Amino acid sequence: MFARLSTYQGSPVPAGGDLTAHSEEIVRQVQDLPGFRGVYYLVDRASGKAASLTLWDDERTMRESEEQAARIREETARREGQRVVSVEHFEVGFSRLGP
């Protein structure tokens, strides 16, 4: 499995601010891309720093999604008043969710 980690910087997010306002729209845009396995969106409300982590079956499908991912990333950042700080790619060494 492979992962793309995108980091963003924006304004601080109020404690009661809705972090899921556009989540369904974003997921809908990426979920049908070949090789897509999942997404996490991480936010530090106090600093306005955020990160998205998308998971892919393999490096090929991750790389093939780059153009669409860049478009989604830029549109989302603009809409949320953020700027894209970095985009990095990783091989997932291991993962575990659960109890």
Coordinates of all heavy atoms in Angstrom, one line a residue:
M1 N 0.8 -1.2 0.0 CA 0.0 0.0 0.0 C 0.9 1.2 0.0 O 2.0 1.2 0.6 CB -0.9 0.0 1.2 CG -2.0 1.1 1.2 SD -3.3 0.9 2.4 CE -2.7 0.0 3.8
F2 N 0.4 2.3 -0.6 CA 1.1 3.6 -0.7 C 0.2 4.7 -0.2 O -1.0 4.6 -0.1 CB 1.6 3.8 -2.1 CG 2.8 3.1 -2.5 CD1 2.8 1.7 -2.7 CD2 4.1 3.7 -2.5 CE1 3.9 1.0 -3.0 CE2 5.2 3.0 -2.8 CZ 5.2 1.7 -3.0
A3 N 0.9 5.8 0.2 CA 0.1 7.0 0.8 C 0.6 8.3 0.2 O 1.8 8.4 0.0 CB 0.2 7.0 2.3
R4 N -0.3 9.2 0.0 CA 0.1 10.6 -0.4 C -0.3 11.5 0.8 O -1.5 11.4 1.3 CB -0.7 11.0 -1.6 CG -0.4 12.4 -2.0 CD -1.2 12.9 -3.2 NE -1.0 12.1 -4.4 CZ -2.0 11.3 -4.9 NH1 -3.2 11.3 -4.4 NH2 -1.8 10.6 -6.0
L5 N 0.6 12.2 1.3 CA 0.4 13.1 2.5 C 0.5 14.5 2.0 O 1.6 15.0 1.5 CB 1.5 12.8 3.6 CG 1.4 13.7 4.8 CD1 0.1 13.5 5.5 CD2 2.6 13.5 5.7
S6 N -0.6 15.3 2.0 CA -0.7 16.7 1.6 C -0.9 17.5 2.9 O -1.7 17.2 3.7 CB -1.8 16.9 0.7 OG -1.7 16.0 -0.5
T7 N -0.1 18.6 3.0 CA -0.2 19.4 4.2 C -0.7 20.8 3.7 O -0.3 21.3 2.6 CB 1.1 19.6 5.0 OG1 2.1 20.0 4.2 CG2 1.5 18.2 5.6
Y8 N -1.4 21.5 4.6 CA -2.1 22.7 4.3 C -1.9 23.7 5.4 O -1.7 23.3 6.6 CB -3.6 22.6 4.1 CG -4.0 21.5 3.1 CD1 -4.1 20.2 3.6 CD2 -4.2 21.7 1.8 CE1 -4.4 19.1 2.7 CE2 -4.6 20.7 0.9 CZ -4.7 19.4 1.4 OH -5.0 18.4 0.5
Q9 N -1.9 25.0 5.1 CA -1.9 26.0 6.2 C -3.1 27.0 5.9 O -3.2 27.4 4.8 CB -0.6 26.7 6.2 CG -0.5 27.7 7.4 CD -0.6 27.1 8.8 OE1 0.2 26.2 9.1 NE2 -1.5 27.5 9.6
G10 N -3.8 27.3 7.0 CA -4.9 28.2 6.9 C -5.1 28.9 8.2 O -4.2 28.9 9.0
S11 N -6.2 29.5 8.4 CA -6.6 30.2 9.6 C -7.0 29.2 10.7 O -7.4 28.1 10.3 CB -7.7 31.2 9.4 OG -7.4 32.1 8.4
P12 N -6.8 29.6 11.9 CA -7.3 28.7 13.0 C -8.8 28.3 12.8 O -9.5 29.1 12.3 CB -7.0 29.5 14.3 CG -5.9 30.4 13.9 CD -6.1 30.7 12.4
V13 N -9.2 27.2 13.3 CA -10.5 26.7 13.1 C -11.2 26.8 14.5 O -10.7 26.3 15.5 CB -10.6 25.2 12.6 CG1 -12.0 24.8 12.5 CG2 -9.8 25.1 11.3
P14 N -12.3 27.5 14.6 CA -13.0 27.6 15.9 C -13.3 26.3 16.5 O -13.6 25.3 15.8 CB -14.3 28.4 15.6 CG -14.0 29.0 14.3 CD -13.0 28.2 13.5
A15 N -13.4 26.2 17.8 CA -13.6 24.9 18.5 C -14.9 24.3 18.0 O -15.0 23.0 17.9 CB -13.7 25.1 20.0
G16 N -15.9 25.0 17.7 CA -17.2 24.5 17.3 C -17.3 24.4 15.8 O -18.4 24.0 15.2
G17 N -16.3 24.7 15.0 CA -16.3 24.7 13.6 C -16.5 23.3 13.0 O -15.9 22.3 13.5
D18 N -17.3 23.2 12.0 CA -17.6 21.9 11.4 C -16.4 21.4 10.4 O -16.2 22.1 9.4 CB -18.9 22.0 10.6 CG -19.3 20.6 10.0 OD1 -18.6 19.6 10.2 OD2 -20.3 20.6 9.3
L19 N -15.8 20.4 10.8 CA -14.7 19.8 10.0 C -15.2 18.9 8.8 O -14.4 18.5 8.0 CB -13.7 19.1 10.8 CG -13.0 19.9 11.9 CD1 -12.1 19.0 12.8 CD2 -12.2 21.1 11.3
T20 N -16.4 18.6 8.9 CA -17.0 17.6 7.9 C -17.8 18.2 6.8 O -18.4 17.5 6.0 CB -17.8 16.5 8.6 OG1 -18.9 17.1 9.2 CG2 -16.9 15.8 9.7
A21 N -17.9 19.6 6.8 CA -18.8 20.3 5.9 C -18.7 19.8 4.5 O -19.8 19.6 3.8 CB -18.6 21.8 6.0
H22 N -17.6 19.6 4.0 CA -17.4 19.2 2.6 C -16.8 17.8 2.4 O -16.4 17.4 1.3 CB -16.5 20.2 1.8 CG -17.1 21.6 1.9 ND1 -18.1 22.0 1.1 CD2 -16.7 22.7 2.6 CE1 -18.4 23.3 1.3 NE2 -17.5 23.7 2.3
S23 N -16.8 17.0 3.5 CA -16.2 15.7 3.4 C -16.8 14.8 2.4 O -16.1 14.1 1.7 CB -16.2 15.1 4.8 OG -17.5 14.8 5.3
E24 N -18.1 14.7 2.3 CA -18.8 13.8 1.4 C -18.4 14.2 -0.1 O -18.2 13.3 -0.9 CB -20.3 13.8 1.6 CG -20.7 13.2 2.9 CD -20.3 11.7 3.0 OE1 -20.4 11.0 2.0 OE2 -19.8 11.3 4.1
E25 N -18.4 15.5 -0.4 CA -18.0 15.9 -1.7 C -16.6 15.5 -2.1 O -16.3 15.0 -3.2 CB -18.2 17.4 -1.8 CG -17.8 18.0 -3.2 CD -17.8 19.5 -3.2 OE1 -18.5 20.1 -2.3 OE2 -17.2 20.1 -4.1
I26 N -15.7 15.7 -1.1 CA -14.3 15.3 -1.4 C -14.2 13.8 -1.6 O -13.5 13.3 -2.5 CB -13.4 15.8 -0.2 CG1 -13.4 17.4 -0.2 CG2 -12.0 15.3 -0.4 CD1 -12.9 18.0 1.1
V27 N -14.8 13.0 -0.7 CA -14.7 11.6 -0.8 C -15.3 11.1 -2.1 O -14.7 10.2 -2.8 CB -15.3 10.9 0.4 CG1 -15.5 9.4 0.2 CG2 -14.6 11.2 1.7
R28 N -16.4 11.7 -2.5 CA -17.0 11.3 -3.7 C -16.1 11.5 -4.9 O -16.1 10.7 -5.9 CB -18.3 12.1 -3.9 CG -19.2 11.6 -5.0 CD -20.6 12.3 -5.0 NE -20.7 13.7 -4.6 CZ -21.1 14.1 -3.4 NH1 -21.6 13.2 -2.5 NH2 -21.2 15.3 -3.0
Q29 N -15.3 12.5 -4.9 CA -14.4 12.8 -6.0 C -13.2 11.8 -6.1 O -12.7 11.6 -7.2 CB -13.8 14.2 -5.8 CG -14.8 15.3 -6.1 CD -14.2 16.6 -5.9 OE1 -13.3 17.0 -6.6 NE2 -14.7 17.4 -5.0
V30 N -12.8 11.2 -5.0 CA -11.6 10.3 -5.0 C -12.0 8.8 -4.9 O -11.2 8.0 -5.3 CB -10.6 10.6 -3.9 CG1 -10.0 12.0 -4.2 CG2 -11.1 10.5 -2.5
Q31 N -13.1 8.5 -4.3 CA -13.4 7.1 -4.0 C -13.5 6.2 -5.2 O -13.3 5.0 -5.1 CB -14.7 7.0 -3.2 CG -16.0 7.3 -3.9 CD -17.2 7.2 -3.0 OE1 -17.1 7.0 -1.8 NE2 -18.3 7.5 -3.6
D32 N -13.8 6.7 -6.4 CA -13.9 5.9 -7.6 C -12.7 5.8 -8.4 O -12.6 5.1 -9.4 CB -15.1 6.3 -8.4 CG -16.5 6.1 -7.8 OD1 -16.6 5.1 -7.0 OD2 -17.4 6.9 -8.0
L33 N -11.6 6.5 -7.9 CA -10.3 6.4 -8.6 C -9.7 5.0 -8.4 O -9.8 4.4 -7.3 CB -9.4 7.5 -8.1 CG -9.7 8.9 -8.4 CD1 -8.7 9.8 -7.7 CD2 -9.8 9.2 -9.9
P34 N -9.2 4.4 -9.5 CA -8.6 3.1 -9.4 C -7.5 3.1 -8.3 O -6.7 4.0 -8.2 CB -8.0 2.9 -10.7 CG -8.8 3.7 -11.7 CD -9.1 4.9 -10.9
G35 N -7.6 2.1 -7.5 CA -6.6 1.9 -6.4 C -6.9 2.6 -5.1 O -6.1 2.4 -4.1
F36 N -7.9 3.4 -5.0 CA -8.2 4.2 -3.8 C -8.6 3.3 -2.7 O -9.4 2.4 -2.8 CB -9.3 5.2 -4.1 CG -9.7 5.9 -2.8 CD1 -8.9 7.0 -2.3 CD2 -10.9 5.6 -2.2 CE1 -9.3 7.7 -1.2 CE2 -11.3 6.3 -1.0 CZ -10.5 7.3 -0.5
R37 N -8.0 3.5 -1.5 CA -8.2 2.6 -0.4 C -8.8 3.4 0.8 O -9.5 2.8 1.7 CB -6.9 2.0 0.1 CG -6.3 1.0 -0.9 CD -6.9 -0.4 -0.9 NE -6.9 -1.0 0.4 CZ -5.9 -1.8 0.8 NH1 -4.9 -2.0 0.1 NH2 -6.0 -2.4 2.0
G38 N -8.6 4.7 0.9 CA -9.1 5.4 2.1 C -8.5 6.8 2.2 O -7.6 7.1 1.5
V39 N -9.1 7.6 3.1 CA -8.6 8.9 3.3 C -8.8 9.3 4.8 O -9.7 8.9 5.4 CB -9.3 10.0 2.4 CG1 -10.8 10.0 2.6 CG2 -8.7 11.4 2.5
Y40 N -7.8 10.1 5.3 CA -7.9 10.7 6.6 C -7.7 12.2 6.4 O -6.8 12.6 5.6 CB -6.8 10.2 7.5 CG -7.0 8.8 8.0 CD1 -6.5 7.7 7.2 CD2 -7.8 8.5 9.1 CE1 -6.7 6.4 7.6 CE2 -8.0 7.2 9.5 CZ -7.4 6.1 8.7 OH -7.6 4.8 9.1
Y41 N -8.4 13.0 7.2 CA -8.1 14.5 7.1 C -7.8 14.9 8.6 O -8.7 14.7 9.5 CB -9.4 15.2 6.6 CG -9.2 16.7 6.4 CD1 -8.2 17.2 5.6 CD2 -9.9 17.6 7.2 CE1 -8.0 18.6 5.4 CE2 -9.7 19.0 7.0 CZ -8.8 19.4 6.2 OH -8.6 20.8 6.0
L42 N -6.7 15.4 8.8 CA -6.2 15.8 10.1 C -6.1 17.3 10.3 O -5.6 18.0 9.4 CB -4.8 15.1 10.4 CG -4.7 13.7 9.9 CD1 -3.2 13.3 9.9 CD2 -5.5 12.8 10.8
V43 N -6.6 17.8 11.4 CA -6.6 19.3 11.6 C -6.1 19.6 13.0 O -6.5 19.0 14.0 CB -8.0 19.8 11.5 CG1 -8.1 21.3 11.7 CG2 -8.6 19.4 10.1
D44 N -5.2 20.6 13.0 CA -4.9 21.3 14.3 C -5.6 22.6 14.3 O -5.3 23.6 13.7 CB -3.3 21.6 14.3 CG -2.9 22.3 15.6 OD1 -3.7 23.0 16.2 OD2 -1.7 22.1 15.9
R45 N -6.7 22.6 15.1 CA -7.6 23.8 15.1 C -6.9 25.1 15.5 O -7.2 26.1 15.0 CB -8.8 23.5 16.0 CG -9.8 22.5 15.5 CD -10.9 22.4 16.5 NE -11.9 21.3 16.1 CZ -13.0 21.6 15.4 NH1 -13.3 22.8 15.1 NH2 -13.8 20.6 15.1
A46 N -6.0 25.0 16.5 CA -5.4 26.1 17.0 C -4.5 26.8 16.0 O -4.4 28.0 16.0 CB -4.6 25.8 18.3
S47 N -3.7 26.1 15.2 CA -2.8 26.6 14.3 C -3.3 26.8 12.9 O -2.7 27.5 12.1 CB -1.5 25.8 14.3 OG -1.8 24.6 13.6
G48 N -4.4 26.1 12.6 CA -4.9 26.1 11.2 C -4.1 25.2 10.3 O -4.4 25.1 9.1
K49 N -3.2 24.4 10.8 CA -2.5 23.4 10.0 C -3.4 22.2 9.8 O -4.1 21.8 10.7 CB -1.2 23.0 10.6 CG -0.3 22.1 9.8 CD 1.0 21.8 10.4 CE 1.8 20.9 9.5 NZ 3.1 20.7 10.1
A50 N -3.4 21.6 8.6 CA -4.2 20.5 8.3 C -3.4 19.5 7.4 O -2.4 20.0 6.7 CB -5.5 20.9 7.6
A51 N -3.8 18.3 7.3 CA -3.1 17.3 6.4 C -4.2 16.3 5.9 O -5.1 16.0 6.7 CB -2.0 16.6 7.2
S52 N -4.0 15.9 4.7 CA -4.8 14.8 4.2 C -3.9 13.6 3.8 O -2.8 13.8 3.3 CB -5.7 15.2 3.0 OG -4.8 15.6 1.9
L53 N -4.3 12.5 4.2 CA -3.6 11.2 3.9 C -4.5 10.3 3.1 O -5.5 9.9 3.6 CB -3.2 10.5 5.2 CG -2.4 9.2 5.0 CD1 -1.0 9.6 4.6 CD2 -2.4 8.5 6.3
T54 N -4.1 10.1 1.8 CA -4.9 9.2 1.0 C -4.1 7.9 0.9 O -2.9 7.9 0.8 CB -5.2 9.8 -0.4 OG1 -4.0 10.2 -1.0 CG2 -6.2 11.0 -0.2
L55 N -4.8 6.8 0.8 CA -4.2 5.5 0.8 C -4.5 4.8 -0.6 O -5.7 4.9 -1.0 CB -4.7 4.6 1.9 CG -4.4 5.2 3.3 CD1 -5.1 4.4 4.4 CD2 -2.9 5.2 3.6
W56 N -3.5 4.1 -1.2 CA -3.7 3.6 -2.5 C -3.1 2.1 -2.5 O -2.2 1.8 -1.7 CB -2.8 4.4 -3.5 CG -3.3 5.8 -3.4 CD1 -2.9 6.8 -2.6 CD2 -4.4 6.4 -4.2 NE1 -3.6 8.0 -2.8 CE2 -4.6 7.7 -3.8 CE3 -5.3 5.9 -5.1 CZ2 -5.5 8.5 -4.3 CZ3 -6.3 6.7 -5.7 CH2 -6.4 8.0 -5.2
D57 N -3.7 1.3 -3.4 CA -3.3 -0.1 -3.5 C -1.8 -0.3 -3.7 O -1.2 -1.1 -3.1 CB -4.1 -0.8 -4.7 CG -5.5 -1.2 -4.3 OD1 -5.8 -1.4 -3.1 OD2 -6.3 -1.3 -5.3
D58 N -1.3 0.6 -4.6 CA 0.1 0.4 -5.0 C 0.6 1.8 -5.6 O -0.2 2.7 -5.7 CB 0.3 -0.7 -6.1 CG -0.7 -0.5 -7.3 OD1 -0.8 0.6 -7.8 OD2 -1.3 -1.5 -7.7
E59 N 1.9 1.8 -5.8 CA 2.5 3.1 -6.2 C 2.0 3.5 -7.6 O 1.8 4.7 -7.8 CB 4.0 2.9 -6.3 CG 4.7 4.2 -6.6 CD 6.2 4.1 -6.6 OE1 6.8 3.0 -6.6 OE2 6.9 5.2 -6.4
R60 N 1.7 2.6 -8.5 CA 1.2 2.9 -9.8 C -0.1 3.7 -9.8 O -0.2 4.7 -10.4 CB 1.1 1.7 -10.7 CG 0.6 1.9 -12.1 CD 0.4 0.7 -12.9 NE -0.6 -0.2 -12.2 CZ -1.9 -0.1 -12.3 NH1 -2.5 0.9 -12.9 NH2 -2.7 -1.0 -11.6
T61 N -1.1 3.1 -9.0 CA -2.4 3.8 -9.0 C -2.3 5.1 -8.3 O -3.0 6.1 -8.6 CB -3.4 2.9 -8.3 OG1 -3.0 2.5 -7.0 CG2 -3.7 1.7 -9.2
M62 N -1.4 5.2 -7.3 CA -1.2 6.5 -6.6 C -0.7 7.5 -7.6 O -1.2 8.7 -7.7 CB -0.3 6.4 -5.4 CG 0.0 7.7 -4.7 SD 1.2 7.5 -3.3 CE 2.7 7.1 -4.3
R63 N 0.3 7.2 -8.3 CA 0.9 8.1 -9.3 C -0.1 8.5 -10.4 O -0.1 9.6 -10.9 CB 2.2 7.5 -9.9 CG 3.3 7.3 -8.9 CD 4.0 8.5 -8.4 NE 5.0 8.2 -7.5 CZ 5.7 9.1 -6.7 NH1 5.4 10.3 -6.9 NH2 6.6 8.7 -5.9
E64 N -0.9 7.5 -10.8 CA -1.8 7.8 -11.9 C -2.9 8.7 -11.5 O -3.6 9.3 -12.3 CB -2.4 6.4 -12.4 CG -1.4 5.7 -13.3 CD -1.9 4.3 -13.7 OE1 -3.0 3.8 -13.2 OE2 -1.2 3.6 -14.5
S65 N -3.1 8.8 -10.2 CA -4.2 9.7 -9.6 C -3.7 11.1 -9.4 O -4.5 12.0 -9.0 CB -4.7 9.2 -8.3 OG -3.8 9.3 -7.3
E66 N -2.4 11.4 -9.7 CA -1.8 12.7 -9.4 C -2.5 13.9 -9.9 O -2.8 14.9 -9.2 CB -0.3 12.8 -9.8 CG 0.6 12.1 -8.9 CD 0.7 12.6 -7.5 OE1 0.5 13.8 -7.3 OE2 0.9 11.8 -6.6
E67 N -2.9 13.8 -11.2 CA -3.5 15.0 -11.8 C -4.9 15.3 -11.2 O -5.2 16.5 -10.8 CB -3.7 14.7 -13.3 CG -4.2 15.9 -14.1 CD -4.3 15.7 -15.6 OE1 -3.3 15.1 -16.1 OE2 -5.3 16.0 -16.2
Q68 N -5.7 14.3 -11.0 CA -7.0 14.5 -10.3 C -6.8 14.9 -8.9 O -7.5 15.8 -8.4 CB -7.8 13.3 -10.4 CG -8.3 13.0 -11.9 CD -8.9 11.6 -12.0 OE1 -8.3 10.6 -11.8 NE2 -10.2 11.6 -12.4
A69 N -5.8 14.3 -8.2 CA -5.6 14.7 -6.8 C -5.1 16.1 -6.7 O -5.6 16.8 -5.8 CB -4.5 13.8 -6.2
A70 N -4.3 16.6 -7.6 CA -3.8 18.0 -7.5 C -5.0 19.0 -7.7 O -5.1 20.0 -7.0 CB -2.8 18.2 -8.6
R71 N -5.9 18.6 -8.6 CA -7.1 19.5 -8.9 C -7.9 19.5 -7.6 O -8.3 20.6 -7.2 CB -7.9 19.0 -10.1 CG -9.1 19.8 -10.4 CD -10.0 19.2 -11.5 NE -10.3 17.8 -11.3 CZ -11.2 17.3 -10.4 NH1 -11.9 18.1 -9.7 NH2 -11.4 16.0 -10.4
I72 N -8.2 18.4 -7.0 CA -9.1 18.3 -5.8 C -8.4 19.1 -4.7 O -9.0 19.8 -4.0 CB -9.3 16.9 -5.4 CG1 -10.2 16.2 -6.5 CG2 -10.0 16.8 -4.1 CD1 -10.2 14.7 -6.4
R73 N -7.1 18.9 -4.5 CA -6.3 19.5 -3.4 C -6.4 21.0 -3.6 O -6.7 21.7 -2.6 CB -4.9 19.0 -3.5 CG -4.1 19.2 -2.3 CD -2.7 18.5 -2.4 NE -2.1 18.4 -3.7 CZ -1.9 17.3 -4.4 NH1 -2.3 16.1 -3.9 NH2 -1.3 17.3 -5.6
E74 N -6.2 21.6 -4.8 CA -6.2 23.0 -5.0 C -7.6 23.6 -4.8 O -7.8 24.6 -4.2 CB -5.6 23.4 -6.4 CG -4.2 23.1 -6.5 CD -3.3 23.9 -5.6 OE1 -3.7 25.1 -5.2 OE2 -2.2 23.4 -5.2
E75 N -8.6 22.9 -5.3 CA -10.0 23.4 -5.2 C -10.4 23.4 -3.7 O -11.0 24.4 -3.2 CB -11.0 22.5 -6.0 CG -10.9 22.7 -7.5 CD -11.7 21.7 -8.2 OE1 -12.4 20.9 -7.6 OE2 -11.7 21.7 -9.5
T76 N -10.1 22.4 -3.0 CA -10.4 22.3 -1.6 C -9.7 23.3 -0.8 O -10.3 24.0 0.1 CB -10.1 20.9 -1.0 OG1 -10.9 19.9 -1.8 CG2 -10.5 20.7 0.4
A77 N -8.4 23.5 -1.0 CA -7.6 24.5 -0.3 C -8.2 25.9 -0.5 O -8.4 26.7 0.4 CB -6.2 24.4 -0.7
R78 N -8.5 26.2 -1.7 CA -9.0 27.5 -2.1 C -10.4 27.8 -1.4 O -10.6 28.8 -0.7 CB -9.2 27.7 -3.6 CG -9.6 29.0 -4.0 CD -9.6 29.2 -5.6 NE -10.1 28.1 -6.3 CZ -9.3 27.2 -7.0 NH1 -8.0 27.4 -7.0 NH2 -9.8 26.2 -7.7
R79 N -11.2 26.8 -1.4 CA -12.6 26.9 -0.8 C -12.4 27.1 0.7 O -13.2 27.8 1.3 CB -13.4 25.7 -1.1 CG -14.8 25.7 -0.5 CD -15.7 24.5 -0.9 NE -15.1 23.3 -0.4 CZ -14.7 22.3 -1.2 NH1 -15.0 22.3 -2.5 NH2 -14.2 21.2 -0.7
E80 N -11.5 26.4 1.3 CA -11.3 26.4 2.8 C -10.4 27.5 3.3 O -10.2 27.7 4.5 CB -10.8 25.1 3.3 CG -11.6 23.9 2.9 CD -13.0 23.9 3.6 OE1 -13.1 24.4 4.7 OE2 -14.0 23.5 2.9
G81 N -9.9 28.4 2.3 CA -9.0 29.5 2.7 C -7.7 29.0 3.2 O -7.0 29.6 4.1
Q82 N -7.2 27.9 2.6 CA -5.9 27.3 2.9 C -4.9 27.5 1.7 O -5.4 27.8 0.6 CB -6.0 25.8 3.3 CG -6.9 25.6 4.4 CD -7.2 24.1 4.6 OE1 -7.3 23.3 3.6 NE2 -7.2 23.6 5.8
R83 N -3.7 27.1 2.0 CA -2.7 27.0 0.9 C -2.1 25.7 1.1 O -1.9 25.2 2.2 CB -1.7 28.1 0.9 CG -0.8 28.2 2.1 CD 0.2 29.4 2.0 NE 0.9 29.5 3.2 CZ 2.0 28.7 3.5 NH1 2.5 27.9 2.7 NH2 2.6 28.9 4.7
V84 N -1.7 25.0 -0.1 CA -1.0 23.8 0.0 C 0.4 24.0 0.3 O 1.1 24.8 -0.4 CB -1.1 23.0 -1.4 CG1 -0.4 21.7 -1.4 CG2 -2.6 22.8 -1.7
V85 N 0.9 23.4 1.3 CA 2.3 23.6 1.8 C 3.2 22.5 1.2 O 4.3 22.8 0.7 CB 2.4 23.5 3.3 CG1 3.8 23.6 3.8 CG2 1.6 24.6 4.0
S86 N 2.8 21.3 1.2 CA 3.6 20.2 0.6 C 2.8 19.0 0.2 O 1.7 18.8 0.7 CB 4.7 19.8 1.6 OG 4.1 19.2 2.8
V87 N 3.4 18.2 -0.6 CA 2.8 16.9 -1.0 C 3.9 15.9 -1.0 O 4.9 16.1 -1.7 CB 2.1 17.0 -2.4 CG1 1.5 15.6 -2.8 CG2 1.0 18.1 -2.5
E88 N 3.7 14.8 -0.3 CA 4.8 13.8 -0.2 C 4.2 12.4 -0.5 O 3.0 12.2 -0.3 CB 5.4 13.8 1.2 CG 6.1 15.1 1.6 CD 6.5 15.1 3.0 OE1 5.7 15.4 3.9 OE2 7.7 14.8 3.2
H89 N 5.0 11.5 -0.9 CA 4.6 10.1 -1.2 C 5.3 9.1 -0.3 O 6.6 9.3 -0.1 CB 4.8 9.8 -2.7 CG 4.1 10.8 -3.5 ND1 4.6 12.0 -4.0 CD2 2.8 10.8 -4.0 CE1 3.8 12.7 -4.7 NE2 2.7 12.0 -4.8
F90 N 4.6 8.1 0.2 CA 5.3 7.1 1.0 C 4.8 5.7 0.7 O 3.6 5.5 0.3 CB 4.9 7.4 2.5 CG 5.4 8.7 3.0 CD1 4.5 9.8 3.0 CD2 6.6 8.9 3.6 CE1 5.0 11.1 3.5 CE2 7.1 10.1 4.1 CZ 6.2 11.2 4.0
E91 N 5.6 4.8 1.0 CA 5.1 3.4 1.0 C 4.7 3.1 2.5 O 5.4 3.5 3.4 CB 6.2 2.4 0.6 CG 5.8 1.0 0.6 CD 6.8 0.0 0.0 OE1 8.0 0.4 -0.3 OE2 6.5 -1.2 -0.1
V92 N 3.6 2.5 2.6 CA 3.1 2.2 4.0 C 3.8 0.9 4.5 O 3.7 -0.2 3.9 CB 1.5 1.9 4.0 CG1 1.1 1.5 5.4 CG2 0.8 3.2 3.5
G93 N 4.6 1.1 5.6 CA 5.3 0.0 6.1 C 4.4 -1.0 6.8 O 4.6 -2.2 6.7
F94 N 3.4 -0.5 7.6 CA 2.4 -1.3 8.2 C 1.2 -0.4 8.6 O 1.4 0.8 8.7 CB 2.9 -2.1 9.4 CG 3.2 -1.3 10.6 CD1 2.3 -1.0 11.6 CD2 4.5 -0.7 10.8 CE1 2.6 -0.2 12.7 CE2 4.8 0.1 11.9 CZ 3.8 0.3 12.8
S95 N 0.1 -1.0 8.9 CA -1.0 -0.2 9.4 C -1.9 -1.1 10.3 O -1.8 -2.4 10.2 CB -1.9 0.3 8.2 OG -2.5 -0.7 7.6
R96 N -2.6 -0.5 11.2 CA -3.5 -1.3 12.0 C -4.6 -0.3 12.6 O -4.2 0.7 13.1 CB -2.8 -1.9 13.2 CG -3.8 -2.7 14.0 CD -3.1 -3.3 15.2 NE -4.2 -3.8 16.1 CZ -4.0 -4.7 17.0 NH1 -2.9 -5.2 17.1 NH2 -5.0 -5.1 17.7
L97 N -5.8 -0.7 12.4 CA -6.9 0.1 13.0 C -7.6 -0.9 13.9 O -7.6 -2.1 13.7 CB -7.9 0.6 12.0 CG -7.4 1.7 11.0 CD1 -8.5 1.9 10.0 CD2 -7.1 2.9 11.8
G98 N -8.2 -0.4 14.9 CA -9.0 -1.3 15.7 C -8.8 -1.3 17.1 O -8.2 -0.4 17.6
P99 N -9.5 -2.1 17.8 CA -9.2 -2.3 19.2 C -8.1 -3.3 19.4 O -7.7 -4.1 18.5 CB -10.5 -2.8 19.8 CG -11.3 -3.2 18.7 CD -10.7 -2.7 17.4

